[in-house]
Amino acid sequence: MAPVEVEGLTKHYGDVVANDALSFEVEAGEVFGYLGPNGAGKTTTIRTLMGFQSPTAGTARLLGADVRDEGAHIEARRRIGYLPESPAFDESATGRELLDLHAAVKGDERRDELLELFSPPLDRPIREYSTGNVQMLGLVQAFMHDPDLVVMDEPTSGLDPLKVQQFNEFLRGEQRAGTTVFMSSHQLSEVRRVCDRVGVIREAELVTTERVDALLRRSGKFVRLRAAEPLDAGDVAMDGVHDVQVRPGDGDDGVTEMTFTYTGDVNPLVERVAGYDLLDLDVEEAPLEEVFMRFYGGEAGA
Amino acid sequence: MLEFARYDGRKRLRGSLVMAAGLAAFAALIVWVYPSFSAMDNIDQFVEAYPEPLIEAFGIRSLTTIGGFLATEIYSFGWVILLGLYFAYAAASIVAGDVEDERMDMLLSLPVSRVRLVGERFAALGVPLLVVNVVTPVVVYAGVQFVDASIDAADLVAVHALSVPYLLACAAIGLVFSVVLSRESTAQRAALGSVFGLFLLESALASTDLEWLGALTPMRYYDPTAVLVDGQYDLQGATVLLGATAVLLAGALLLFRRKDIQ
């Protein structure tokens, strides 16, 4: 039994189809990234999984509990942690009072350990919290009862870069400990750092589920080169080169700037361009946004 | 169990004490005014000059006895209207406020049923209900002794005890709006409007052909004047109010159980 099983999950809001017959599974111990542009339906799926709304058709199971079966779902939630996109708490309470309430309901065997990592000002009322502090409080409550499955909607939004790094390290530790994570994100750099596999949703439909390393391999590199001689697209034409753009450099010094995407082994590429009088050569991972545009963009709505 | 009732109850305690202090001070003032008021001549003529619906609205029977005076000045106004509105308003926030501000997601992610969550939070209204109904009668009783009048302690206890089902019914009306409407301010306005509207309806229909319609209002079943002037305790009315509370509460909980939180 996979910790997350989604079967033909469909959700309509009136005439708007927010999720259209989604099916996928998240395996035990996996960190699964749920990716898509804003408005694609990521939050809708998460809200249905968590039981905040019922599916229009199809269903999903968390830790074996059907989302349509309240009793079973409640039992499962003892072992589930949840962090919404913008967590909101009783603002008059202090962080400590809030965690005490959560602890009384679901347990808190890991509270102290988590508070060493994420440290919101516990004795101040939550209304005085910054966005980052609220997010940290949200993270602590999501993991404090040592859940088997954690569902998170954009978990690092509002965290400063240092905390994001800490969070990523923490998540890798959780992964090693066998926790299953289902998280949505639009930050692809984050996803590639922490996720094993991704599901891509676009306009309410699941476009693909794929291992992150395969996706990165397929997505290729983003190459930028500057040469002290006039070049055109034909000069770099070879298998795996796409979307070549050439810009003559500034002035009449004959400098050419060229960008393209390259899928394939990097050695033939280097051999190919070695003969040119290069000023600069950048080879970096393609931003996943572009990957999506290239692989899935054209299929959207088709 | 009862984590949410305890949490909410603690949160409501301070406000309840402030409210109880305010109502007790108001009650003390009324009691203090009583001797000079009752010494005036022609009070009853003065009362007769009021239009009938107003007399009904405030349950004015006799302003010359301490019981009748308190029933009109404190209980018909403070309990039937003010506290009725307060409990409807407070209950109207329970669900709609958290849904509107997206706090509900966090609560519903916990391993508790929706019925238990909202049921417990409704139960936490027991804190203000208890505090005002314990503090005020003590102040009123002491005040009445102080001005050398006398009031039947049992009647005083009864007028407070019988207000509990009435105020619960008002709260249940508020809770229904809180579940049905997803904006807090709309739910609050609807709850206030309904309870005040029911109060006006009951008063306006009294002594008309449509008086029977008043049976649909909670005010029909709680009459402080009957308790304090005649010593009549309407236990049947209290039962009706408790029944109505149970029905409204069950309806609200069932609706909330099936509701999509968006």
Side-chain angles (χ1 to χ4, degrees):
Chain A
M1 177 197 75
V4 179
E5 299 167 295
V6 178
E7 279 177 14
L9 189 69
T10 300
K11 182 67 186 175
H12 296 186
Y13 298 119
D15 291 339
V16 180
V17 180
N19 278 172
D20 191 5
L22 309 177
S23 295
F24 60 91
E25 287 187 355
V26 178
E27 302 300 331
E30 192 172 48
V31 176
F32 187 91
Y34 194 45
L35 284 175
N38 287 332
K42 300 189 294 289
T43 299
T44 299
T45 308
I46 288 180
R47 299 182 63 77
T48 313
L49 288 180
M50 289 305 297
F52 306 152
Q53 56 191 16
S54 33
T56 307
T59 191
R61 282 180 293 276
L62 293 192
L63 301 178
D66 196 301
V67 295
R68 298 167 304 180
D69 176 353
E70 199 196 13
H73 201 262
I74 291 167
E75 268 316 301
R77 287 207 297 267
R78 295 186 187 286
R79 298 188 288 136
I80 297 175
Y82 171 64
L83 181 68
E85 186 173 3
S86 39
F89 303 102
D90 173 7
E91 300 234 304
S92 66
T94 64
R96 190 180 306 282
E97 286 173 318
L98 198 285
L99 292 181
D100 286 345
L101 173 67
H102 279 242
V105 180
K106 66 188 182 190
D108 67 342
E109 49 268 45
R110 296 186 62 193
R111 187 201 307 209
D112 296 339
E113 167 201 343
L114 288 160
L115 285 171
E116 282 172 23
L117 225 51
F118 309 108
S119 46
L122 285 187
D123 293 311
R124 292 228 309 266
I126 294 171
R127 86 163 57 79
E128 295 174 10
Y129 277 25
S130 65
T131 318
N133 280 333
V134 173
Q135 194 72 12
M136 285 198 283
L137 188 66
L139 281 167
V140 172
Q141 67 75 32
F143 285 92
M144 67 194 252
H145 53 306
D146 199 17
D148 297 335
L149 168 67
V150 180
V151 177
M152 295 185 282
D153 201 352
E154 305 277 354
T156 57
S157 65
L159 292 184
D160 62 49
L162 192 66
K163 288 287 174 198
V164 170
Q165 206 181 328
Q166 276 183 359
F167 171 76
N168 288 342
E169 269 169 41
F170 169 74
L171 209 57
R172 275 191 286 271
E174 293 305 295
Q175 189 179 12
R176 280 193 295 276
T179 310
T180 307
V181 175
F182 178 80
M183 58 182 264
S184 78
S185 180
H186 66 271
Q187 287 199 331
L188 304 159
S189 54
E190 165 179 284
V191 163
R192 63 167 291 269
R193 266 185 221 119
V194 297
C195 294
D196 304 305
R197 214 154 57 93
V198 292
V200 179
I201 181 173
R202 218 187 136 88
E203 295 185 1
E205 291 180 35
L206 192 72
V207 185
T208 184
T209 57
E210 196 160 7
R211 292 201 58 79
V212 169
D213 44 13
L215 184 70
L216 289 175
R217 214 168 26 246
R218 197 140 83 82
S219 65
K221 313 279 189 228
F222 183 73
V223 182
R224 181 190 291 114
L225 67 80
R226 285 174 65 230
E229 58 184 300
L231 294 175
D232 61 35
D235 293 320
V236 294
M238 61 184 285
D239 278 353
V241 170
H242 315 273
D243 309 329
V244 183
Q245 297 201 328
V246 185
R247 259 191 324 196
D250 29 28
D252 49 7
D253 52 4
V255 173
T256 313
E257 196 174 305
M258 194 183 273
T259 60
F260 54 90
T261 318
Y262 176 69
T263 51
D265 189 72
V266 77
N267 289 310
L269 175 69
V270 173
E271 280 168 29
R272 174 72 195 247
V273 299
Y276 305 131
D277 185 6
L278 293 183
L279 297 167
D280 204 356
L281 176 64
D282 280 341
V283 181
E284 56 190 37
E285 235 151 47
L288 280 174
E289 280 88 351
E290 281 194 17
V291 178
F292 290 144
M293 289 299 285
R294 201 142 53 80
F295 285 100
Y296 315 116
E299 297 165 19
Chain B
M1 284 299 272
L2 296 181
E3 290 86 2
F4 299 97
R6 275 202 295 270
Y7 179 88
D8 262 31
R10 258 200 314 274
K11 292 275 165 198
R12 291 196 184 277
L13 186 59
R14 197 205 300 190
S16 303
L17 290 171
V18 170
M19 185 168 72
L23 284 168
F26 168 68
L29 184 75
I30 298 294
V31 173
W32 181 63
V33 165
Y34 172 71
S36 49
F37 197 87
S38 62
M40 278 164 60
D41 296 330
N42 305 326
I43 291 285
D44 288 332
Q45 272 178 307
F46 170 70
V47 167
E48 276 163 29
Y50 280 138
E52 181 64 22
L54 202 68
I55 291 178
E56 284 294 333
F58 286 93
I60 302 173
R61 278 273 301 285
S62 160
L63 293 180
T64 50
T65 66
I66 180 90
F69 187 74
L70 296 180
T72 298
E73 302 290 337
I74 299 178
Y75 295 103
S76 292
F77 177 66
W79 259 246
V80 175
I81 303 179
L82 275 190
L83 280 182
L85 291 175
Y86 169 80
F87 279 96
Y89 183 85
S93 305
I94 288 178
V95 174
D98 280 350
V99 170
E100 185 178 358
D101 296 334
E102 298 180 9
R103 291 184 299 258
M104 190 55 88
D105 292 4
M106 212 68 258
L107 294 171
L108 293 184
S109 75
L110 295 169
V112 292
S113 71
R114 292 186 178 199
V115 166
R116 183 183 141 198
L117 177 70
V118 174
E120 285 194 19
R121 303 189 68 197
F122 183 79
L125 289 174
V127 170
L129 196 59
L130 195 70
V131 171
V132 292
N133 280 310
V134 167
V135 173
T136 319
V138 172
V139 171
V140 168
Y141 193 78
V144 169
Q145 308 302 313
F146 185 74
V147 298
D148 285 334
S150 79
I151 187 164
D152 189 299
D155 289 352
L156 190 58
V157 169
V159 82
H160 282 277
L162 291 173
S163 79
V164 170
Y166 168 75
L167 295 173
L168 283 175
C170 292
I173 291 171
L175 188 68
V176 170
F177 284 113
S178 194
V179 170
V180 173
L181 302 171
S182 36
R183 289 192 44 186
E184 184 176 21
S185 58
T186 318
Q188 286 168 334
R189 280 199 297 269
L192 289 179
S194 302
V195 169
F196 195 64
L198 288 168
F199 169 76
L200 291 180
L201 188 72
E202 212 262 337
S203 316
L205 294 180
S207 326
T208 71
D209 291 344
L210 291 174
E211 189 168 353
W212 57 271
L213 255 181
L216 294 174
T217 70
M219 295 79 193
R220 171 66 60 92
Y221 305 99
Y222 174 55
D223 183 357
T225 306
V227 177
L228 291 178
V229 176
D230 308 323
Q232 282 176 1
Y233 307 161
D234 185 0
L235 295 179
Q236 211 178 349
T239 312
V240 170
L241 288 171
L242 288 175
T245 302
V247 169
L248 290 171
L249 186 60
L253 292 174
L254 283 177
L255 279 175
F256 182 62
R257 203 167 162 226
R258 301 170 54 90
K259 187 181 167 96
D260 272 8
I261 310 297
Q262 285 166 20

